[in-house]
Amino acid sequence: VAAQMGGYLNQLNSYEQAFSNMDMQMLMTKDQRQAMKLRNKYAASDVNLATFNPNQTQEESKGLWFRPYASFEKVDLKGGPNVENNMYGAFIGGDSDLIELKHGWDAMFSGYASYDGSHQNYDGVGIYQNGAHLGATAVFYKGDFFTGLTANIGTSIADASTMYGNETIPMLMTGVASKTGYNWELLKGRFIVQPSLLMSYSFVNTFNYRNAAGVSIESDPLNAIQIAPGLKFICNLPKGWQPYFNINMRWNIIDDTHFGARDVNIPEMSVNPYVEYGLGLQRKWGERFTGFGQAMVRNGGRTGISLSAGFRWAL
């Protein structure tokens, strides 16, 4: 159960990483994003008349990005033990150009891959997991409205150390997620309030295996839905600085999952709802680079801190 929980939490993290570029874009004001659409449409013979600022438009061009992450937390499983869960890894991906569609819509498409590692520890049991994800994302913008959809597939091998010896637990994860939000600009865009809603469906299959005590462990797949409304407060400061504060509430609606050993059912366990809040800072450098760092604190069913950073290079 603890190994499956670790795989599920890595799956949730993959959705956050997949939507990071959309989040980076929507830190900008509407005027800055409109300037991106005007590029190559208007030319000015007067050098003092500028319709396009290259320091604000890296996100319109195709690019490559890299994001390492780590989190340190305890997960109080409902009906189960308090599991120490540490996650770490990195995502790498590439984006298309911003594509202009009909009726004022714009779109961008991305592909990504990751290395995902984690460690669960409780009551003398230690589990190390190593795995990877492959996925794709499509995001759409219209004015101050944005929405995105991502789908991915991943695999993980969990190596557990127990009082009986070592066990190897293979897992397969896949899922889809959508994130939708809106920018409400104040003070001519210097301050932005951004409500959003992230919803996801995850499928995590822990394959049947024989444990170190020689007992066959059987399980049904985990089918889980998470609903996560959020609110972000953004400041657009001079010289490309963009600090923000983010708060999210997360509910895990987990379907029945059954584990059995020697025809005895293992009790079901789930992750309680939790809230996360924290600060981030993004900055643009020149015409090509955008970088950010973020720290989020979690309380409730997950208690701890999540750290992430990254940069994007426009090609």
Side-chain angles (χ1 to χ4, degrees):
V1 175
Q4 187 185 66
M5 176 213 69
Y8 173 55
L9 297 184
N10 265 323
Q11 185 68 21
L12 293 180
N13 178 66
S14 73
Y15 306 140
E16 294 292 327
Q17 300 296 331
F19 292 131
S20 286
N21 276 8
M22 182 173 68
D23 293 338
M24 292 169 70
Q25 172 119 330
M26 294 309 294
L27 292 184
M28 293 189 295
T29 66
K30 185 177 182 179
D31 287 344
Q32 291 168 344
R33 287 181 279 110
Q34 184 66 23
M36 296 182 349
K37 296 182 65 174
L38 297 178
R39 187 179 190 182
N40 297 327
K41 289 187 176 181
Y42 299 94
S45 59
D46 184 352
V47 295
N48 295 317
L49 179 61
T51 61
F52 166 70
N53 181 356
N55 292 326
Q56 301 294 336
T57 58
Q58 297 95 319
E59 285 78 9
E60 75 161 330
S61 302
K62 58 180 176 289
L64 299 175
W65 46 268
F66 176 73
R67 297 193 193 95
Y69 68 88
S71 67
F72 312 92
E73 62 189 358
K74 289 187 177 181
V75 183
D76 187 10
L77 287 177
K78 185 177 180 179
N82 194 320
V83 180
E84 181 180 321
N85 181 58
N86 299 324
M87 299 193 304
Y88 43 86
F91 279 70
I92 186 170
D95 305 322
S96 71
D97 287 321
L98 190 69
I99 302 169
E100 186 171 350
L101 306 177
K102 295 180 179 180
H103 308 296
W105 287 91
D106 300 292
M108 181 175 282
F109 303 95
S110 307
Y112 56 90
S114 71
Y115 161 73
D116 305 296
S118 65
H119 178 234
Q120 294 82 42
N121 182 58
Y122 71 98
D123 297 342
V125 176
I127 307 169
Y128 283 95
Q129 295 196 36
N130 291 281
H133 273 88
L134 287 174
T137 303
V139 298
F140 302 91
Y141 309 97
K142 184 176 182 180
D144 289 319
F145 176 82
F146 61 94
T147 187
L149 181 69
T150 189
N152 62 40
I153 187 170
T155 184
S156 177
I157 300 296
D159 293 314
S161 175
T162 74
M163 62 183 294
Y164 295 102
N166 294 325
E167 305 175 7
T168 300
I169 307 168
M171 286 187 293
L172 176 71
M173 298 92 70
T174 188
V176 295
S178 68
K179 185 173 183 178
T180 301
Y182 185 84
N183 275 12
W184 180 34
E185 294 189 7
L186 302 171
L187 302 176
K188 297 182 179 180
R190 288 193 293 270
F191 185 70
I192 298 173
V193 179
Q194 184 189 98
S196 64
L197 176 65
L198 189 152
M199 297 184 292
S200 65
Y201 163 76
S202 301
F203 173 92
V204 183
N205 184 47
T206 305
F207 293 97
N208 298 342
Y209 70 100
R210 185 173 296 275
N211 72 8
V215 178
S216 294
I217 306 297
E218 300 176 350
S219 67
D220 292 336
L222 169 67
N223 295 278
I225 295 173
Q226 186 183 82
I227 299 175
L231 191 62
K232 186 178 291 184
F233 303 92
I234 306 161
C235 289
N236 277 283
L237 303 179
K239 298 183 180 180
W241 290 100
Q242 296 171 303
Y244 59 89
F245 173 79
N246 195 16
I247 182 169
N248 305 301
M249 184 66 197
R250 300 188 180 272
W251 285 276
N252 296 298
I253 305 171
I254 299 183
D255 196 2
D256 290 340
T257 179
H258 299 284
F259 285 82
R262 287 179 176 164
D263 297 323
V264 176
N265 287 332
I266 298 173
E268 297 173 15
M269 303 176 192
S270 60
V271 180
N272 288 311
Y274 58 96
V275 63
E276 59 181 13
Y277 52 90
L279 298 172
L281 180 64
Q282 179 171 290
R283 176 143 192 249
K284 305 174 188 297
W285 285 272
E287 298 183 13
R288 292 184 179 271
F289 290 96
T290 303
F292 81 96
Q294 177 179 279
M296 300 289 287
V297 176
R298 295 179 176 133
N299 282 298
R302 302 171 71 180
T303 302
I305 187 169
S306 167
L307 306 173
S308 60
F311 67 87
R312 185 182 188 274
W313 179 41
L315 300 178

